[in-house]
């Protein structure tokens, strides 16, 4: 018993895996990596997947992660964001998961506080917090996110993609939809949180969402109505069940 307590106390194996896809984001990914390195929590690992970039992303990434064994670098032909997230999460051997896009940033305490909360609340499925949007010129503003409500989630997504959750729940719902090239995180959340799952949103600002013309959200928004129809048709039964008591 004493031996087990000793090893538990000094165990430094990773408890969370950060999945970081990259497709032609050489000009931003250094800031993203640096925000992760600044974390007050040290039991993390990061899998960076270069999804067929044609710029100098590989050179930048390898320079940033050299001599840091917490990072794993993978290069593959372009497959798309959902595929990258799925393959990265399936590679992970940790209890917790977080996805982090290569142009966004997190606060230094986000991971530590998120894992502490989820460790203490087995009934909570997802942890996230307040967020800010920021631009390349240094401008920042609060991202006014609605409090979580599942029926509202069905109508519009109000949780960003860099939430912390358990890998067992990823396995439970089958991962991200690889047929989607936008709003895949929204569709994933609809399945992940169905059935009265609990969500906790801390009042701390933990996530920084970069706004720029090349962001995938700008491209996906052009096909929003088509994606809404796809999401509804795919998840019609659970959506109707959730809405029937309105």
């Amino acid at each position: 018993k004493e031996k087990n307590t000793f090893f538990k106390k000094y165990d430094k194996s990773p408890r969370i895996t950060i999945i970081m896809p990259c497709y032609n984001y050489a000009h931003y990914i250094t800031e993203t990596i640096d925000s992760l390195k600044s974390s007050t929590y040290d039991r993390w690992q990061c899998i960076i997947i270069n999804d067929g970039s044609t710029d100098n992303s590989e050179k930048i990434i390898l320079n940033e992660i050299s001599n840091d064994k917490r990072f794993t670098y993978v290069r593959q032909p372009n497959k798309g964001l959902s595929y990258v997230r799925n393959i990265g999460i399936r590679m992970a051997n940790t209890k917790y998961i977080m996805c982090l896009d290569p142009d966004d940033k997190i606060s230094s305490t986000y991971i530590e506080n998120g894992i502490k909360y989820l460790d203490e609340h087995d009934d909570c499925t997802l942890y996230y917090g307040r967020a800010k949007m920021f631009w390349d010129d240094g401008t920042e503003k609060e991202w006014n996110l609605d409090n979580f409500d599942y029926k509202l989630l069905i109508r519009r997504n109000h949780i960003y993609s860099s939430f912390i959750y358990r890998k067992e729940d990823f396995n439970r719902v089958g991962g991200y939809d690889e047929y989607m090239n936008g709003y895949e995180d929204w569709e994933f959340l609809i399945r992940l949180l169905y059935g009265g799952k609990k969500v906790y949103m801390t009042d701390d600002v933990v996530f920084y969402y970069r706004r720029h013309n090349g962001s995938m959200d700008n491209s996906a928004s052009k096909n929003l109505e088509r994606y809404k129809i796809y999401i509804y048709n795919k998840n019609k039964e659970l959506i109707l069940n959730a809405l029937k008591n309105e």
Side-chain angles (χ1 to χ4, degrees), residues 31-46:
E31 289 184 61
T32 304
I33 292 172
D34 285 347
S35 79
L36 177 56
K37 287 180 178 179
S38 72
S39 176
T40 57
Y41 189 79
D42 60 358
R43 292 179 61 183
W44 57 264
Q45 64 182 10
C46 178

Side-chain angles (χ1 to χ4, degrees), residues 162-173:
S162 292
F163 47 85
I164 300 174
Y165 66 111
R166 298 175 182 86
K167 184 178 177 179
E168 65 182 18
D169 286 319
F170 169 88
N171 293 334
R172 172 176 59 83
V173 300

Side-chain angles (χ1 to χ4, degrees), residues 145-159:
L145 299 168
D146 292 303
N147 292 327
F148 171 70
D149 178 86
Y150 189 78
K151 291 178 180 179
L152 178 62
L153 180 71
I154 290 171
R155 293 178 171 85
R156 68 174 186 272
N157 191 14
H158 51 286
I159 301 177

Side-chain angles (χ1 to χ4, degrees), residues 103-107 132 134 140 205-210:
D103 52 346
D104 298 328
K105 298 187 292 185
I106 56 171
S107 73
K132 287 186 176 181
F134 72 104
E140 284 187 359
V205 175
V206 300
F207 181 69
Y208 298 85
Y209 176 58
R210 189 188 297 270

